[in-house]
Amino acid sequence: MQLVQLAFRNLFRNTRRTILTVLLISFSLTALIITDAMMRGMTDLIVKSITETLLGEAQIHKLGFRDNFDIDLFIDDAADLEDSLSNDPTVLAHASRTISGAIISSSYNVTGGMVYGIDADAEADLSRIKIAVESGTYLSGKPNEILIGKTMGELLEIKLGDRIVVTLTEANTGEMTQALFRVSGLLHFGITEIDKNMVFINIDEARKLIRLGEHGAHEIAIRFRNPEDAKNPDLAVFKDHNTESLESLSWLQLNKEVSSIIEMSSYGTLIIGLILFLLASLGVINSMFMSIYERIYEFGVLKAIGTRPLDLGVLIMVESLLIALISCAVGIILALLISEYTSTVGIPLGEMEFSGLAISDRILTQFHISQITELPIYVILLTMVSGLYPAWFASKIIPTEALQRSL
Amino acid sequence: MTIVIKTKNLCRYFGDNEETMVKAADQVNIEIEKGEFTAIIGPSGSGKTTVLHLMGGLDNPTSGEVELSGKNIAKMSGGELCDLRRDHIGFIFQSYNLIPVLSAEENIEYIMLLQGVKASERKKRVKEMLELVGLSGLEDRRPGKLSGGQQQRVAIARAMASRPDIILADEPTANLDSKTGIALLDVMKELNEKHDMTFVFSTHDEKIMSRASRLIHMRDGKVELDERK
């Protein structure tokens, strides 16, 4: 007969209470694991939404361009930069872009917007522009093709094949220039800012229009083989291309608002975890005390026949540990079963725009090994901490008082 | 004769106020010799259980001394008292005081585990004790599956298994019917006579009094009469 065996048998003196305590702790752990998995899924969705839509995971610009999108601040030899990116093993895809403000006119209406000159083939591997084509066709490299946001199309009252005039400013000279385009595709990103304000044309045409030269670009968007590389400032992409005239920034630096939201979401998990485990701890303390009060006479006897106070305390702690271990096993199994469903079928959100991001997908909860290693350790530690006071109480029971209590 | 327990001017007072103070034990001087079958008797509130608890180191005296095999236990720390109770004193209580989740065998084995007795020796002693108290064959039963008398027999076996110097029994027959009580007392008397085991009872059970070799009468915390038969 060992201490663990005695503690284990004690747990099943009042099976119903033990089951309820185990369920309380295991449900808390399950909820925490699912919350963590959901937060990870949500974060992943947000990150993908922000990086895959248009931004990329990193961008290189001429220093100062981002301050007010000055058309004159362009990279002279983007081709050279793109060559070095092609040889970088961490880089999966990259694409040069021109960006300029423009007046876009149809036969019926006029609006302001941003004209992106894009490399259609390269963009297909980097952004969602091709996927966002709701009607018509993606850019094929033919002259006068233009992709327009659906909302802008409605504003301009145009349809596929209609003509529109884009008025731009030439770089360096500041001269106005105009070009006629035929709408080849209407885009729907689900992001108001893009759908309403952006048009996309072939980069070669854009370069000619705004006179950026053969290899000029305002922006080079980059996608890494490992998306986590965006967080690594020691990467060659960031170290080599942050110079006196260039800046190379990750999406976390380009969109600080969203990166702050993501950072805050981890605190959300922490707060939910704390609340859940505070409640579970109170349940454990309550359960252990009920169990001790039922056994006060017995503890008196145990001390009377020579059980040391420390041994009684250890017995209660072992009971707490066993409750924690059983709860963790139940909690993990429950969480894995639920995760199996939510990670494949997902949790539907409907279509929503959140902080300039289109979230039209389902949240697919994401399993991470820490959910079944770290989180259960916290649960075990917290349950043990909850067991400390009852254990101390049991060790302090005075035999004569305990024996009299039940006589 | 060897003196197992000796109390010297033993006092145990409850309460601080002079007027309301209860003197549960007041200047008690008792010497228990090895092999005695002693009953401390008296009406309720006379202080017999208090004296038994003080003798067993379950309670600390207000003043006076308790010597167990020549050692003064009155000033011992909690841990030292635990070890002393474990190694030198066997207790039998009024209520069935077994650990309900342990079998009869495991209950008997418990104190020996605390003592660090080897497994083979434990098994040997458990078997021996179960035979002594007439419970062979019931070793795997938990207390819930044993009658009151059988449970008290296990308690006696547990008290004896640790090979104590003395067994202190607080109203051991109080919760038993007359027939079971007599049978149990016969077991204890036999252990006393055959194995020279020292017993001290706190009781007002006539059956114990009639079998006791010595009766210590208490009233209002004082020893009123100490008679050897």
Side-chain angles (χ1 to χ4, degrees), chain A residues 312-346:
Chain A
L312 270 188
V314 169
L315 177 70
I316 301 298
M317 291 306 288
V318 173
E319 288 178 21
S320 302
L321 177 66
L322 289 175
I323 285 179
L325 290 174
I326 297 168
S327 303
C328 284
V330 174
I332 288 170
I333 291 168
L334 268 174
L336 291 179
L337 287 173
I338 296 170
S339 278
E340 178 64 25
Y341 177 81
T342 53
S343 64
T344 48
V345 178

PDB file of all heavy atoms in Angstrom, chain A residues 312-346:
ATOM      1  N   LEU A 312       0.408  13.824   6.206  1.00  0.00           N
ATOM      2  CA  LEU A 312      -1.007  14.113   5.913  1.00  0.00           C
ATOM      3  C   LEU A 312      -1.111  15.178   4.825  1.00  0.00           C
ATOM      4  O   LEU A 312      -1.935  15.065   3.909  1.00  0.00           O
ATOM      5  CB  LEU A 312      -1.705  14.634   7.169  1.00  0.00           C
ATOM      6  CG  LEU A 312      -2.353  13.605   8.090  1.00  0.00           C
ATOM      7  CD1 LEU A 312      -3.169  14.315   9.165  1.00  0.00           C
ATOM      8  CD2 LEU A 312      -3.255  12.669   7.309  1.00  0.00           C
ATOM      9  N   GLY A 313      -0.267  16.210   4.948  1.00  0.00           N
ATOM     10  CA  GLY A 313      -0.243  17.266   3.933  1.00  0.00           C
ATOM     11  C   GLY A 313       0.105  16.696   2.575  1.00  0.00           C
ATOM     12  O   GLY A 313      -0.531  17.021   1.565  1.00  0.00           O
ATOM     13  N   VAL A 314       1.105  15.821   2.554  1.00  0.00           N
ATOM     14  CA  VAL A 314       1.532  15.211   1.289  1.00  0.00           C
ATOM     15  C   VAL A 314       0.393  14.365   0.711  1.00  0.00           C
ATOM     16  O   VAL A 314       0.161  14.378  -0.507  1.00  0.00           O
ATOM     17  CB  VAL A 314       2.809  14.350   1.496  1.00  0.00           C
ATOM     18  CG1 VAL A 314       3.111  13.511   0.269  1.00  0.00           C
ATOM     19  CG2 VAL A 314       3.993  15.248   1.819  1.00  0.00           C
ATOM     20  N   LEU A 315      -0.347  13.678   1.575  1.00  0.00           N
ATOM     21  CA  LEU A 315      -1.477  12.862   1.111  1.00  0.00           C
ATOM     22  C   LEU A 315      -2.494  13.736   0.356  1.00  0.00           C
ATOM     23  O   LEU A 315      -2.945  13.380  -0.739  1.00  0.00           O
ATOM     24  CB  LEU A 315      -2.161  12.172   2.306  1.00  0.00           C
ATOM     25  CG  LEU A 315      -3.397  11.337   1.974  1.00  0.00           C
ATOM     26  CD1 LEU A 315      -3.007  10.085   1.198  1.00  0.00           C
ATOM     27  CD2 LEU A 315      -4.145  10.951   3.238  1.00  0.00           C
ATOM     28  N   ILE A 316      -2.809  14.896   0.944  1.00  0.00           N
ATOM     29  CA  ILE A 316      -3.767  15.811   0.295  1.00  0.00           C
ATOM     30  C   ILE A 316      -3.186  16.329  -1.019  1.00  0.00           C
ATOM     31  O   ILE A 316      -3.891  16.430  -2.030  1.00  0.00           O
ATOM     32  CB  ILE A 316      -4.109  17.001   1.225  1.00  0.00           C
ATOM     33  CG1 ILE A 316      -4.711  16.505   2.536  1.00  0.00           C
ATOM     34  CG2 ILE A 316      -5.062  17.980   0.547  1.00  0.00           C
ATOM     35  CD1 ILE A 316      -6.011  15.765   2.412  1.00  0.00           C
ATOM     36  N   MET A 317      -1.893  16.627  -1.002  1.00  0.00           N
ATOM     37  CA  MET A 317      -1.268  17.127  -2.232  1.00  0.00           C
ATOM     38  C   MET A 317      -1.272  16.051  -3.318  1.00  0.00           C
ATOM     39  O   MET A 317      -1.482  16.354  -4.497  1.00  0.00           O
ATOM     40  CB  MET A 317       0.170  17.574  -1.959  1.00  0.00           C
ATOM     41  CG  MET A 317       0.284  18.828  -1.104  1.00  0.00           C
ATOM     42  SD  MET A 317      -0.649  20.225  -1.721  1.00  0.00           S
ATOM     43  CE  MET A 317       0.308  20.678  -3.137  1.00  0.00           C
ATOM     44  N   VAL A 318      -1.046  14.814  -2.916  1.00  0.00           N
ATOM     45  CA  VAL A 318      -1.072  13.720  -3.906  1.00  0.00           C
ATOM     46  C   VAL A 318      -2.497  13.561  -4.458  1.00  0.00           C
ATOM     47  O   VAL A 318      -2.688  13.347  -5.659  1.00  0.00           O
ATOM     48  CB  VAL A 318      -0.561  12.397  -3.290  1.00  0.00           C
ATOM     49  CG1 VAL A 318      -0.752  11.234  -4.254  1.00  0.00           C
ATOM     50  CG2 VAL A 318       0.911  12.513  -2.934  1.00  0.00           C
ATOM     51  N   GLU A 319      -3.500  13.720  -3.574  1.00  0.00           N
ATOM     52  CA  GLU A 319      -4.887  13.652  -4.049  1.00  0.00           C
ATOM     53  C   GLU A 319      -5.140  14.765  -5.070  1.00  0.00           C
ATOM     54  O   GLU A 319      -5.777  14.541  -6.107  1.00  0.00           O
ATOM     55  CB  GLU A 319      -5.864  13.764  -2.870  1.00  0.00           C
ATOM     56  CG  GLU A 319      -5.894  12.507  -2.010  1.00  0.00           C
ATOM     57  CD  GLU A 319      -6.830  12.620  -0.808  1.00  0.00           C
ATOM     58  OE1 GLU A 319      -7.733  13.468  -0.818  1.00  0.00           O
ATOM     59  OE2 GLU A 319      -6.640  11.836   0.145  1.00  0.00           O
ATOM     60  N   SER A 320      -4.626  15.977  -4.764  1.00  0.00           N
ATOM     61  CA  SER A 320      -4.785  17.105  -5.707  1.00  0.00           C
ATOM     62  C   SER A 320      -4.099  16.790  -7.027  1.00  0.00           C
ATOM     63  O   SER A 320      -4.643  17.059  -8.105  1.00  0.00           O
ATOM     64  CB  SER A 320      -4.168  18.383  -5.134  1.00  0.00           C
ATOM     65  OG  SER A 320      -4.757  18.702  -3.920  1.00  0.00           O
ATOM     66  N   LEU A 321      -2.902  16.220  -6.922  1.00  0.00           N
ATOM     67  CA  LEU A 321      -2.134  15.901  -8.133  1.00  0.00           C
ATOM     68  C   LEU A 321      -2.888  14.880  -8.987  1.00  0.00           C
ATOM     69  O   LEU A 321      -2.982  15.030 -10.213  1.00  0.00           O
ATOM     70  CB  LEU A 321      -0.753  15.355  -7.755  1.00  0.00           C
ATOM     71  CG  LEU A 321       0.132  14.909  -8.917  1.00  0.00           C
ATOM     72  CD1 LEU A 321       0.525  16.098  -9.781  1.00  0.00           C
ATOM     73  CD2 LEU A 321       1.401  14.213  -8.415  1.00  0.00           C
ATOM     74  N   LEU A 322      -3.459  13.881  -8.320  1.00  0.00           N
ATOM     75  CA  LEU A 322      -4.199  12.853  -9.071  1.00  0.00           C
ATOM     76  C   LEU A 322      -5.420  13.460  -9.759  1.00  0.00           C
ATOM     77  O   LEU A 322      -5.712  13.151 -10.920  1.00  0.00           O
ATOM     78  CB  LEU A 322      -4.623  11.711  -8.139  1.00  0.00           C
ATOM     79  CG  LEU A 322      -3.483  10.810  -7.657  1.00  0.00           C
ATOM     80  CD1 LEU A 322      -3.993   9.798  -6.642  1.00  0.00           C
ATOM     81  CD2 LEU A 322      -2.828  10.089  -8.822  1.00  0.00           C
ATOM     82  N   ILE A 323      -6.119  14.342  -9.025  1.00  0.00           N
ATOM     83  CA  ILE A 323      -7.277  15.027  -9.631  1.00  0.00           C
ATOM     84  C   ILE A 323      -6.811  15.807 -10.856  1.00  0.00           C
ATOM     85  O   ILE A 323      -7.444  15.771 -11.921  1.00  0.00           O
ATOM     86  CB  ILE A 323      -7.961  15.973  -8.605  1.00  0.00           C
ATOM     87  CG1 ILE A 323      -8.768  15.140  -7.607  1.00  0.00           C
ATOM     88  CG2 ILE A 323      -8.872  16.982  -9.295  1.00  0.00           C
ATOM     89  CD1 ILE A 323      -9.465  15.958  -6.539  1.00  0.00           C
ATOM     90  N   ALA A 324      -5.684  16.508 -10.704  1.00  0.00           N
ATOM     91  CA  ALA A 324      -5.153  17.312 -11.815  1.00  0.00           C
ATOM     92  C   ALA A 324      -4.800  16.432 -13.011  1.00  0.00           C
ATOM     93  O   ALA A 324      -5.127  16.765 -14.158  1.00  0.00           O
ATOM     94  CB  ALA A 324      -3.940  18.098 -11.349  1.00  0.00           C
ATOM     95  N   LEU A 325      -4.150  15.302 -12.733  1.00  0.00           N
ATOM     96  CA  LEU A 325      -3.719  14.424 -13.835  1.00  0.00           C
ATOM     97  C   LEU A 325      -4.927  13.824 -14.562  1.00  0.00           C
ATOM     98  O   LEU A 325      -4.968  13.803 -15.797  1.00  0.00           O
ATOM     99  CB  LEU A 325      -2.819  13.307 -13.292  1.00  0.00           C
ATOM    100  CG  LEU A 325      -1.434  13.746 -12.800  1.00  0.00           C
ATOM    101  CD1 LEU A 325      -0.686  12.589 -12.164  1.00  0.00           C
ATOM    102  CD2 LEU A 325      -0.614  14.339 -13.934  1.00  0.00           C
ATOM    103  N   ILE A 326      -5.905  13.367 -13.778  1.00  0.00           N
ATOM    104  CA  ILE A 326      -7.105  12.788 -14.407  1.00  0.00           C
ATOM    105  C   ILE A 326      -7.813  13.875 -15.230  1.00  0.00           C
ATOM    106  O   ILE A 326      -8.233  13.655 -16.366  1.00  0.00           O
ATOM    107  CB  ILE A 326      -8.059  12.190 -13.348  1.00  0.00           C
ATOM    108  CG1 ILE A 326      -7.376  11.026 -12.614  1.00  0.00           C
ATOM    109  CG2 ILE A 326      -9.365  11.707 -13.985  1.00  0.00           C
ATOM    110  CD1 ILE A 326      -8.105  10.565 -11.364  1.00  0.00           C
ATOM    111  N   SER A 327      -7.918  15.083 -14.618  1.00  0.00           N
ATOM    112  CA  SER A 327      -8.598  16.193 -15.305  1.00  0.00           C
ATOM    113  C   SER A 327      -7.889  16.545 -16.602  1.00  0.00           C
ATOM    114  O   SER A 327      -8.538  16.820 -17.622  1.00  0.00           O
ATOM    115  CB  SER A 327      -8.637  17.431 -14.408  1.00  0.00           C
ATOM    116  OG  SER A 327      -9.255  17.127 -13.198  1.00  0.00           O
ATOM    117  N   CYS A 328      -6.559  16.558 -16.559  1.00  0.00           N
ATOM    118  CA  CYS A 328      -5.799  16.909 -17.761  1.00  0.00           C
ATOM    119  C   CYS A 328      -6.045  15.875 -18.859  1.00  0.00           C
ATOM    120  O   CYS A 328      -6.243  16.241 -20.020  1.00  0.00           O
ATOM    121  CB  CYS A 328      -4.306  16.997 -17.451  1.00  0.00           C
ATOM    122  SG  CYS A 328      -3.893  18.503 -16.587  1.00  0.00           S
ATOM    123  N   ALA A 329      -6.041  14.606 -18.468  1.00  0.00           N
ATOM    124  CA  ALA A 329      -6.269  13.554 -19.465  1.00  0.00           C
ATOM    125  C   ALA A 329      -7.644  13.734 -20.105  1.00  0.00           C
ATOM    126  O   ALA A 329      -7.772  13.730 -21.343  1.00  0.00           O
ATOM    127  CB  ALA A 329      -6.161  12.189 -18.807  1.00  0.00           C
ATOM    128  N   VAL A 330      -8.668  13.958 -19.257  1.00  0.00           N
ATOM    129  CA  VAL A 330     -10.035  14.132 -19.774  1.00  0.00           C
ATOM    130  C   VAL A 330     -10.109  15.402 -20.630  1.00  0.00           C
ATOM    131  O   VAL A 330     -10.673  15.396 -21.735  1.00  0.00           O
ATOM    132  CB  VAL A 330     -11.057  14.199 -18.607  1.00  0.00           C
ATOM    133  CG1 VAL A 330     -12.449  14.517 -19.114  1.00  0.00           C
ATOM    134  CG2 VAL A 330     -11.064  12.881 -17.834  1.00  0.00           C
ATOM    135  N   GLY A 331      -9.510  16.490 -20.095  1.00  0.00           N
ATOM    136  CA  GLY A 331      -9.552  17.782 -20.791  1.00  0.00           C
ATOM    137  C   GLY A 331      -8.887  17.715 -22.157  1.00  0.00           C
ATOM    138  O   GLY A 331      -9.399  18.254 -23.143  1.00  0.00           O
ATOM    139  N   ILE A 332      -7.741  17.038 -22.217  1.00  0.00           N
ATOM    140  CA  ILE A 332      -7.007  16.943 -23.485  1.00  0.00           C
ATOM    141  C   ILE A 332      -7.800  16.113 -24.494  1.00  0.00           C
ATOM    142  O   ILE A 332      -7.947  16.509 -25.662  1.00  0.00           O
ATOM    143  CB  ILE A 332      -5.597  16.334 -23.258  1.00  0.00           C
ATOM    144  CG1 ILE A 332      -4.706  17.350 -22.545  1.00  0.00           C
ATOM    145  CG2 ILE A 332      -4.952  15.909 -24.575  1.00  0.00           C
ATOM    146  CD1 ILE A 332      -3.389  16.777 -22.055  1.00  0.00           C
ATOM    147  N   ILE A 333      -8.353  14.983 -24.027  1.00  0.00           N
ATOM    148  CA  ILE A 333      -9.135  14.129 -24.947  1.00  0.00           C
ATOM    149  C   ILE A 333     -10.327  14.916 -25.501  1.00  0.00           C
ATOM    150  O   ILE A 333     -10.573  14.933 -26.707  1.00  0.00           O
ATOM    151  CB  ILE A 333      -9.598  12.839 -24.233  1.00  0.00           C
ATOM    152  CG1 ILE A 333      -8.383  11.945 -23.944  1.00  0.00           C
ATOM    153  CG2 ILE A 333     -10.636  12.078 -25.067  1.00  0.00           C
ATOM    154  CD1 ILE A 333      -8.650  10.792 -23.000  1.00  0.00           C
ATOM    155  N   LEU A 334     -11.038  15.611 -24.588  1.00  0.00           N
ATOM    156  CA  LEU A 334     -12.194  16.408 -25.022  1.00  0.00           C
ATOM    157  C   LEU A 334     -11.771  17.477 -26.028  1.00  0.00           C
ATOM    158  O   LEU A 334     -12.413  17.664 -27.077  1.00  0.00           O
ATOM    159  CB  LEU A 334     -12.819  17.102 -23.811  1.00  0.00           C
ATOM    160  CG  LEU A 334     -13.948  16.364 -23.097  1.00  0.00           C
ATOM    161  CD1 LEU A 334     -14.340  17.134 -21.842  1.00  0.00           C
ATOM    162  CD2 LEU A 334     -15.143  16.214 -24.015  1.00  0.00           C
ATOM    163  N   ALA A 335     -10.678  18.160 -25.704  1.00  0.00           N
ATOM    164  CA  ALA A 335     -10.197  19.248 -26.576  1.00  0.00           C
ATOM    165  C   ALA A 335      -9.794  18.708 -27.943  1.00  0.00           C
ATOM    166  O   ALA A 335     -10.095  19.330 -28.975  1.00  0.00           O
ATOM    167  CB  ALA A 335      -9.022  19.962 -25.909  1.00  0.00           C
ATOM    168  N   LEU A 336      -9.138  17.555 -27.949  1.00  0.00           N
ATOM    169  CA  LEU A 336      -8.698  16.981 -29.232  1.00  0.00           C
ATOM    170  C   LEU A 336      -9.900  16.566 -30.073  1.00  0.00           C
ATOM    171  O   LEU A 336      -9.905  16.746 -31.301  1.00  0.00           O
ATOM    172  CB  LEU A 336      -7.764  15.792 -28.997  1.00  0.00           C
ATOM    173  CG  LEU A 336      -6.377  16.138 -28.422  1.00  0.00           C
ATOM    174  CD1 LEU A 336      -5.555  14.886 -28.201  1.00  0.00           C
ATOM    175  CD2 LEU A 336      -5.628  17.100 -29.332  1.00  0.00           C
ATOM    176  N   LEU A 337     -10.927  16.041 -29.399  1.00  0.00           N
ATOM    177  CA  LEU A 337     -12.133  15.641 -30.135  1.00  0.00           C
ATOM    178  C   LEU A 337     -12.810  16.863 -30.756  1.00  0.00           C
ATOM    179  O   LEU A 337     -13.210  16.847 -31.920  1.00  0.00           O
ATOM    180  CB  LEU A 337     -13.114  14.916 -29.198  1.00  0.00           C
ATOM    181  CG  LEU A 337     -12.714  13.498 -28.781  1.00  0.00           C
ATOM    182  CD1 LEU A 337     -13.675  12.954 -27.723  1.00  0.00           C
ATOM    183  CD2 LEU A 337     -12.688  12.569 -29.988  1.00  0.00           C
ATOM    184  N   ILE A 338     -12.926  17.926 -29.949  1.00  0.00           N
ATOM    185  CA  ILE A 338     -13.565  19.153 -30.457  1.00  0.00           C
ATOM    186  C   ILE A 338     -12.697  19.770 -31.557  1.00  0.00           C
ATOM    187  O   ILE A 338     -13.187  20.202 -32.603  1.00  0.00           O
ATOM    188  CB  ILE A 338     -13.824  20.160 -29.310  1.00  0.00           C
ATOM    189  CG1 ILE A 338     -14.829  19.560 -28.322  1.00  0.00           C
ATOM    190  CG2 ILE A 338     -14.338  21.485 -29.845  1.00  0.00           C
ATOM    191  CD1 ILE A 338     -14.984  20.334 -27.032  1.00  0.00           C
ATOM    192  N   SER A 339     -11.379  19.777 -31.308  1.00  0.00           N
ATOM    193  CA  SER A 339     -10.445  20.355 -32.287  1.00  0.00           C
ATOM    194  C   SER A 339     -10.494  19.622 -33.618  1.00  0.00           C
ATOM    195  O   SER A 339     -10.350  20.223 -34.680  1.00  0.00           O
ATOM    196  CB  SER A 339      -9.019  20.290 -31.757  1.00  0.00           C
ATOM    197  OG  SER A 339      -8.777  21.351 -30.895  1.00  0.00           O
ATOM    198  N   GLU A 340     -10.682  18.318 -33.528  1.00  0.00           N
ATOM    199  CA  GLU A 340     -10.753  17.507 -34.747  1.00  0.00           C
ATOM    200  C   GLU A 340     -11.843  18.052 -35.680  1.00  0.00           C
ATOM    201  O   GLU A 340     -11.654  18.140 -36.892  1.00  0.00           O
ATOM    202  CB  GLU A 340     -11.053  16.042 -34.356  1.00  0.00           C
ATOM    203  CG  GLU A 340     -11.215  15.077 -35.517  1.00  0.00           C
ATOM    204  CD  GLU A 340      -9.940  14.930 -36.332  1.00  0.00           C
ATOM    205  OE1 GLU A 340      -8.869  15.173 -35.780  1.00  0.00           O
ATOM    206  OE2 GLU A 340     -10.054  14.609 -37.530  1.00  0.00           O
ATOM    207  N   TYR A 341     -12.947  18.476 -35.058  1.00  0.00           N
ATOM    208  CA  TYR A 341     -14.058  19.028 -35.838  1.00  0.00           C
ATOM    209  C   TYR A 341     -13.766  20.470 -36.261  1.00  0.00           C
ATOM    210  O   TYR A 341     -13.849  20.814 -37.440  1.00  0.00           O
ATOM    211  CB  TYR A 341     -15.337  18.967 -35.010  1.00  0.00           C
ATOM    212  CG  TYR A 341     -16.533  19.582 -35.690  1.00  0.00           C
ATOM    213  CD1 TYR A 341     -17.255  18.872 -36.647  1.00  0.00           C
ATOM    214  CD2 TYR A 341     -16.948  20.875 -35.381  1.00  0.00           C
ATOM    215  CE1 TYR A 341     -18.355  19.437 -37.283  1.00  0.00           C
ATOM    216  CE2 TYR A 341     -18.042  21.451 -36.009  1.00  0.00           C
ATOM    217  CZ  TYR A 341     -18.739  20.729 -36.956  1.00  0.00           C
ATOM    218  OH  TYR A 341     -19.813  21.288 -37.590  1.00  0.00           O
ATOM    219  N   THR A 342     -13.366  21.290 -35.273  1.00  0.00           N
ATOM    220  CA  THR A 342     -13.213  22.724 -35.570  1.00  0.00           C
ATOM    221  C   THR A 342     -11.977  23.024 -36.427  1.00  0.00           C
ATOM    222  O   THR A 342     -11.898  24.080 -37.037  1.00  0.00           O
ATOM    223  CB  THR A 342     -13.131  23.552 -34.265  1.00  0.00           C
ATOM    224  OG1 THR A 342     -12.108  22.991 -33.430  1.00  0.00           O
ATOM    225  CG2 THR A 342     -14.435  23.558 -33.518  1.00  0.00           C
ATOM    226  N   SER A 343     -11.031  22.101 -36.457  1.00  0.00           N
ATOM    227  CA  SER A 343      -9.850  22.362 -37.290  1.00  0.00           C
ATOM    228  C   SER A 343     -10.067  21.931 -38.741  1.00  0.00           C
ATOM    229  O   SER A 343      -9.304  22.309 -39.619  1.00  0.00           O
ATOM    230  CB  SER A 343      -8.622  21.650 -36.728  1.00  0.00           C
ATOM    231  OG  SER A 343      -8.812  20.257 -36.790  1.00  0.00           O
ATOM    232  N   THR A 344     -11.097  21.143 -38.977  1.00  0.00           N
ATOM    233  CA  THR A 344     -11.373  20.732 -40.356  1.00  0.00           C
ATOM    234  C   THR A 344     -12.606  21.439 -40.907  1.00  0.00           C
ATOM    235  O   THR A 344     -12.572  22.031 -41.979  1.00  0.00           O
ATOM    236  CB  THR A 344     -11.569  19.205 -40.452  1.00  0.00           C
ATOM    237  OG1 THR A 344     -12.476  18.809 -39.426  1.00  0.00           O
ATOM    238  CG2 THR A 344     -10.272  18.465 -40.254  1.00  0.00           C
ATOM    239  N   VAL A 345     -13.683  21.425 -40.134  1.00  0.00           N
ATOM    240  CA  VAL A 345     -14.919  22.092 -40.581  1.00  0.00           C
ATOM    241  C   VAL A 345     -14.828  23.594 -40.317  1.00  0.00           C
ATOM    242  O   VAL A 345     -15.264  24.409 -41.116  1.00  0.00           O
ATOM    243  CB  VAL A 345     -16.148  21.490 -39.858  1.00  0.00           C
ATOM    244  CG1 VAL A 345     -17.431  22.198 -40.278  1.00  0.00           C
ATOM    245  CG2 VAL A 345     -16.241  20.005 -40.144  1.00  0.00           C
ATOM    246  N   GLY A 346     -14.213  23.955 -39.191  1.00  0.00           N
ATOM    247  CA  GLY A 346     -14.025  25.364 -38.875  1.00  0.00           C
ATOM    248  C   GLY A 346     -15.213  25.995 -38.183  1.00  0.00           C
ATOM    249  O   GLY A 346     -16.288  25.394 -38.086  1.00  0.00           O
TER     250      GLY A 346
END
